[in-house]
Amino acid sequence: MKRLITILYWLIISGYGIAQEQETIATKKDTTKLEEVVIVTRRKLSNHRQEKTLSSIDDYLEKSNNITMIKRGNYAWEPTLNNMVSDRLVVTIDGMQIFGACTDKMDPITSYVDVSNLEKVIIGSGQEGTENGHCVGGGIDLRLPSSKYTDSGLKTSADLGYETNGNFIATGLDLEYAGNKFFISADGIFRNSDNYDAGGNEEVAFSQFQKYNISLQSGYKFSETNSLDANVIYDRATDVGYPALPMDVSLAEALITSLTHYYRPQDKPLKSLETKLYFNTITHIMDDSNRPDVPIRMDMPGWSDTYGFYSKADVIEGIHHLTLNLNGFYNRSLAEMTMFSNNPGEPDMFMYTWPDIRTLYTGLFLKDDWHIDKRKVLSSSLRLGYHSNRIAKEVGVESLQIFHPDIDDQQNRFLMSLASTYRMTEKSSNLSFGVGYGERAPSVSEGYGFFLFNSFDNYDYVGNPNLKNEKALEVNINFSKTYKNFKFGIEASYFYIMDYIIGEIEPNVSSMTIGANGVRVYEALDNASIFDIYLNGSYRINDQFSANATLGYNYGKGSNGENLPLIRPFSYFAEVNYALSKFNVALQLEGNGNQSNFSSFYGENETPSYAVLNLNLGNAFYGKNGRTILKYGIENILDDNYSTFADWNNIPRQGRNFYINLSYLFP
């Protein structure tokens, strides 16, 4: 055992992998620094430069260069990182694995939390994002607030927001008590929107939604070295319309629970040991009962239950900073579809679209930050994991054997990830270079989905349990330089993905969905390449005025010569800021070029270029009884009617929107 630990340690020290520095989403789009993207929640509303204090988590994530949100409606956008969809990412809540229950990706993990629950979001590009699991594109960890034994007593805050487009209303309340050995905090937020209007007052039907989220966190400190935290989040969305899809959602419900023990010894190499046990359950119900004209009525419920644990250790020994994470989870994913007959004399049709898939995973993550000197750091990491899928429903095995006669009811895999980054910091410049290798297992839909309709290309999809692990080599570089009041930066990454999983047309099989073009079965291209580069700059004119801008270019192509779908075209963003101690205003211009490299083979069409102007303002008022934060502004000032490459089936974005957010923080 001692020899094994020694071997693993030296693998980390000498291993080569990629590591783009972890980000934190800032309160505005900082185009020159993407190291940490801190979400300022109502607990930190004193930072009044936040554009909207009641923005959704989706709005916050879009502030990162590398993240794009795929929109199927006005709610529950799917995050992509480095032009890779959620199947190629690991998205966690405070290190906890949680899996959506919708076969159509209408409930990404980010939809089951709100800004009121979170303290920050950590984004790791590529293999830098493997601390909590295996991935190819990167990791997104939605961090819950840390323990508060501040003896600050009772604190409260209240929020109210309104937007004219969609008659959107948001309200929130936060309560917190903190003593020396005990703390408890509770918060709730409610959001409601009618159908929104695209540019030119074009109503987008079935874009309404209603959601509320409540959370409770409590902790007790037994001693200076031992404490225990408990967290519960309940999230419920109803009457959620999806204008880009043929079905809506009557219920999306999640219960997320965890119990965490912290051990923080003093004056020892071991700085902290964090051990968490968790459970979460999701129910998601799709139906088309509110659609006026459909060929056949359908219900498509889904369920996902996950039990898991992790134990993270933080060790500092000399010039080495070690991070270890032993984690595991067990997940059950089940989804059904019932087609209701239009003829009373005919029976309804029932099938499993996810035939009760059981997933077991156990893995170990190790990372070493080797501080060579005050200016140079070499970060290397390794993740090893065992991944097993089992089909619990015998009918699921029989159904998939129609397409794959030689499958077994269980698939076992071994996964590995390596990453290494060299960072050098000078007085006026920063440079980082990273390389890496990573693997991922197919998702439940890719491996075991059965006739999942994809309205993007109008095909039914069937999974393939025999798929190989998807593997990726990657390299990235990040450089920034400061010249007095001017700052310039460049960041680029390249991914060479082997056994790239994507749907291929099965010509001899008929579709299940009425009107579909046919059936695609998940197969693997020999390889695919994805490249992105961003140029960033900022200039501080004086203490009040500043300007910043970014330009981005992305490219993706498969070994079959076809463009990959959902690759961002040329993009740009520019902002001019004026800020005083209690007032700020910002004028923004953002847009994309024409999507010339679209993928018609995978259902895309050409998306025209667009440019949108936004105006954001904020005031802070301080009184004896608390602070008031006022945020207001206009989005899409010119009321353009447009859609982007990430808008499913070209649904248009919101037109002109006036908004106002009012927050009051009691002392």
Side-chain angles (χ1 to χ4, degrees), residues 119-364:
E119 186 172 67
K120 58 184 176 181
V121 173
I122 302 297
I123 299 171
S125 178
Q127 296 310 302
E128 182 69 7
T130 59
E131 179 178 343
N132 298 307
H134 293 274
C135 61
V136 169
I140 302 173
D141 190 24
L142 309 167
R143 293 283 180 89
L144 301 178
S146 53
S147 306
K148 299 180 180 69
Y149 302 104
T150 58
D151 199 24
S152 56
L154 182 65
K155 291 184 177 181
T156 63
S157 65
D159 308 295
L160 179 64
Y162 178 75
E163 300 182 17
T164 57
N165 198 329
N167 194 31
F168 172 77
I169 296 174
T171 60
L173 181 64
D174 208 4
L175 300 171
E176 176 187 301
Y177 173 81
N180 285 326
K181 290 193 173 184
F182 174 78
F183 81 91
I184 185 169
S185 63
D187 60 70
I189 195 165
F190 173 80
R191 301 177 184 272
N192 181 273
S193 178
D194 299 332
N195 291 336
Y196 71 83
D197 290 338
N201 295 319
E202 174 193 341
E203 182 179 359
V204 179
F206 309 109
S207 60
Q208 80 289 340
F209 72 89
Q210 179 172 288
K211 164 196 172 119
Y212 69 85
N213 175 289
I214 56 176
S215 69
L216 179 67
Q217 180 183 18
S218 184
Y220 184 79
K221 185 163 66 172
F222 298 96
S223 66
E224 292 303 316
T225 57
N226 287 278
S227 62
L228 191 67
D229 282 14
N231 283 273
V232 178
I233 298 174
Y234 179 72
D235 189 278
R236 181 184 177 94
T238 56
D239 189 25
V240 182
Y242 286 87
L245 302 175
M247 301 186 74
D248 301 313
V249 170
S250 60
L251 177 66
E253 183 180 49
L255 176 64
I256 303 165
T257 64
S258 66
L259 186 67
T260 310
H261 177 263
Y262 297 94
Y263 173 62
R264 298 183 177 95
Q266 298 177 353
D267 302 322
K268 292 183 179 180
L270 177 63
K271 299 304 176 184
S272 67
L273 178 63
E274 176 185 341
T275 303
K276 185 189 296 285
L277 300 174
Y278 63 87
F279 165 73
N280 55 73
T281 179
I282 292 177
T283 300
H284 189 273
I285 301 175
M286 285 189 287
D287 69 63
D288 53 12
S289 58
N290 292 326
R291 298 296 176 105
D293 185 22
V294 294
I296 190 169
R297 295 287 178 189
M298 290 190 295
D299 279 348
M300 296 183 66
W303 301 269
S304 174
D305 300 325
T306 305
Y307 305 81
F309 77 94
Y310 71 70
S311 188
K312 296 181 181 181
D314 204 26
V315 180
I316 296 179
E317 184 67 50
I319 59 175
H320 293 281
H321 182 181
L322 298 172
T323 303
L324 298 91
N325 182 5
L326 175 65
N327 65 335
F329 68 85
Y330 176 80
N331 172 260
R332 172 181 181 261
S333 292
L334 173 68
E336 305 171 350
M337 178 174 67
T338 302
M339 293 184 175
F340 298 102
S341 173
N342 292 323
N343 186 344
E346 295 180 358
D348 298 333
M349 185 181 125
F350 174 86
M351 58 188 268
Y352 290 106
T353 50
W354 283 346
D356 200 359
I357 306 303
R358 311 295 177 94
T359 302
L360 176 67
Y361 173 84
T362 303
L364 176 66

